[in-house]
Amino acid sequence: MNIGILGTGHYLPTNVVTNNDLEKIVDTNDEWIRTRTGIKERRLATEEVDTSDMAFHAALGALEEANLAAEDIDLILVATVTPNTSFPSVACIIQDQLGAKNAAAMDVSAACAGFMYGLITAKQFIDTGAYKHVLVVGAEKLSKITDWSDRTTCVLFGDGAGAAVVGEVGEGKGILSFELGANGAGAKELYLNHDDHIIMNGREVYKFAVRQMPDSTVNVIEQLGLSRDDVDYLVPHQANIRIMEAARERLGISEDKMAKSIEKFGNNSSASIPMALSEAVKEGKIKDNDLIVLVGFGGGLTWGAVALRWGK
Ligand code: UT7
């Protein structure tokens, strides 16, 4: 069976916070943030908007693009490190809001690689014939776990959500190969502390990511016996433009073939890949039959990549 993405959606909070705004709260500057990370601004959700609200709106968009009703969904998987509360899951909250009464629901915890883990989990349920349609969402309100006095992390993150409906697609299309991985020995480099704040050893995570993201990108293409320049579009986790460029350069593809939403949205953890993907689809940057690679990494440490032929 060929299993792929039937529709995508994303949600962005309206509140824009620029690098200059951050200069007023921590000792930083626009030039440092832009040159070290590629970020110019990010969106932050207001007090009354929680992770599930953003997930819900992204899911509605994906259902609409897939031309499916909420009742058609058999399983909801929400990748998040910022659930409204530890339970019930964000997936259960949006199951009710959407009216997806036939869907099982659970959250997936794999940090910034969460959407990749969700996507591949969805594929397994469909491959076995157990389910037909799985809704996979990446949603994060990172602003609620950001230490706003720590300049080494607070300039990096933003809020938002992205979603995809996964199901059967036509011959030759859909997910062609994947790679998932984890290294729990690296847990200490990126985690949530007892005060509910993100703690990150930026240099160590950078060293890991700048090797892993290009490796995984190339691995999923080589599994197919294809050449790197067969890739039409790359959607990497939007963590740092320098890490993203390392993956793009290893593939040897031109700049216009890589999603670059980091400038406007910062790092949205599990939401960054589906947000960038949905935006690229809406902007017409991804066309039918394009070979695309999604690749991410994050706390855990975790990583994942998928090569897929776009289209229904
Ligand atoms: O999705 C989660 C995965 N996380 C990541 O992908 C993060 C991976 N790491 C990175 O992206 C980079 O390591 C950072 C962007 C976090 C930092 O960039 P860097 O080039 O590795 O900088 P650094 O940590 O080596 O720090 C260089 C200098 C330091 O000052 P000294 O020690 O050289 O005097 C920092 O104190 O920059 C200083 N610095 C800042 N200066 C202005 C750190 N943060 C800031 C800041 N503004 N916000």
Side-chain angles (χ1 to χ4, degrees):
M1 197 192 295
N2 303 289
I3 296 157
I5 293 176
L6 303 173
T8 57
H10 66 285
Y11 173 84
L12 291 167
T14 49
N15 183 20
V16 177
V17 176
T18 65
N19 292 345
N20 291 330
D21 293 331
L22 293 178
E23 287 176 9
K24 294 173 195 134
I25 48 173
V26 283
D27 179 16
T28 190
N29 57 79
D30 175 55
E31 214 238 321
W32 191 95
I33 302 171
R34 266 190 300 104
T35 54
R36 299 283 180 132
T37 72
I39 301 167
K40 291 181 180 164
E41 57 187 47
R42 71 286 291 141
R43 304 289 182 96
L44 300 186
T46 50
E47 189 85 35
E48 61 281 5
V49 173
D50 213 334
T51 302
S52 62
D53 301 306
M54 294 186 279
F56 168 68
H57 287 291
L60 278 184
L63 282 169
E64 193 185 336
E65 199 173 277
N67 206 10
L68 288 170
E71 292 84 354
D72 296 327
I73 299 299
D74 303 304
L75 173 66
I76 300 173
L77 299 172
V78 177
T80 184
V81 294
T82 51
N84 300 29
T85 170
S86 59
F87 68 93
S89 63
V90 174
C92 277
I93 297 170
I94 68 165
Q95 188 245 19
D96 178 46
Q97 289 175 329
L98 291 167
K101 58 181 193 301
N102 301 315
M106 67 173 175
D107 287 356
V108 175
S109 175
C112 307
F115 183 78
M116 307 310 299
Y117 272 73
L119 188 60
I120 294 309
T121 305
K123 174 177 155 50
Q124 309 315 311
F125 277 102
I126 300 168
D127 258 336
T128 61
Y131 294 142
K132 272 183 84 173
H133 300 120
V134 182
L135 172 66
V136 186
V137 185
E140 303 287 4
K141 189 177 182 184
L142 293 169
S143 56
K144 69 182 176 184
I145 59 166
T146 299
D147 178 351
W148 290 103
S149 66
D150 177 7
R151 70 171 182 172
T152 69
T153 54
C154 77
V155 300
L156 304 174
F157 302 108
D159 301 332
V165 176
V166 182
E168 188 172 1
V169 292
E171 192 60 40
K173 292 185 175 169
I175 296 170
L176 305 174
S177 61
F178 74 88
E179 170 179 292
L180 294 177
N183 176 12
K188 61 185 185 304
E189 313 301 355
L190 179 53
Y191 62 95
L192 192 69
N193 72 5
H194 292 300
D195 294 327
D196 280 346
H197 283 145
I198 300 169
I199 305 294
M200 181 172 74
N201 182 346
R203 284 183 203 180
E204 283 308 310
V205 176
Y206 188 92
K207 277 196 266 174
F208 151 71
V210 86
R211 177 183 49 78
Q212 189 62 53
M213 204 149 84
D215 281 357
S216 296
T217 303
V218 168
N219 287 348
V220 290
I221 291 301
E222 288 182 349
Q223 275 183 49
L224 300 170
L226 292 173
S227 127
R228 295 170 198 188
D229 55 19
D230 287 328
V231 175
D232 295 299
Y233 206 71
L234 174 67
V235 185
H237 172 42
Q238 309 281 308
N240 185 316
I241 191 69
R242 289 145 60 205
I243 300 170
M244 293 157 56
E245 284 294 337
R248 184 182 69 76
E249 281 165 16
R250 181 84 81 82
L251 280 179
I253 58 171
S254 58
E255 261 187 71
D256 57 316
K257 290 185 169 184
M258 180 175 76
K260 216 164 71 175
S261 58
I262 187 169
E263 284 182 3
K264 296 173 294 175
F265 308 145
N267 177 346
N268 310 104
S269 188
S270 68
S272 83
I273 293 172
M275 280 166 71
L277 175 66
S278 175
E279 202 186 34
V281 171
K282 269 98 199 142
E283 290 174 354
K285 289 179 178 158
I286 295 177
K287 296 173 295 300
D288 218 32
N289 279 318
D290 275 355
L291 180 66
I292 72 167
V293 175
L294 313 178
V295 58
F297 66 91
L301 300 164
T302 54
W303 61 93
V306 163
L308 74 154
R309 182 81 56 196
W310 193 254
K312 300 187 197 178

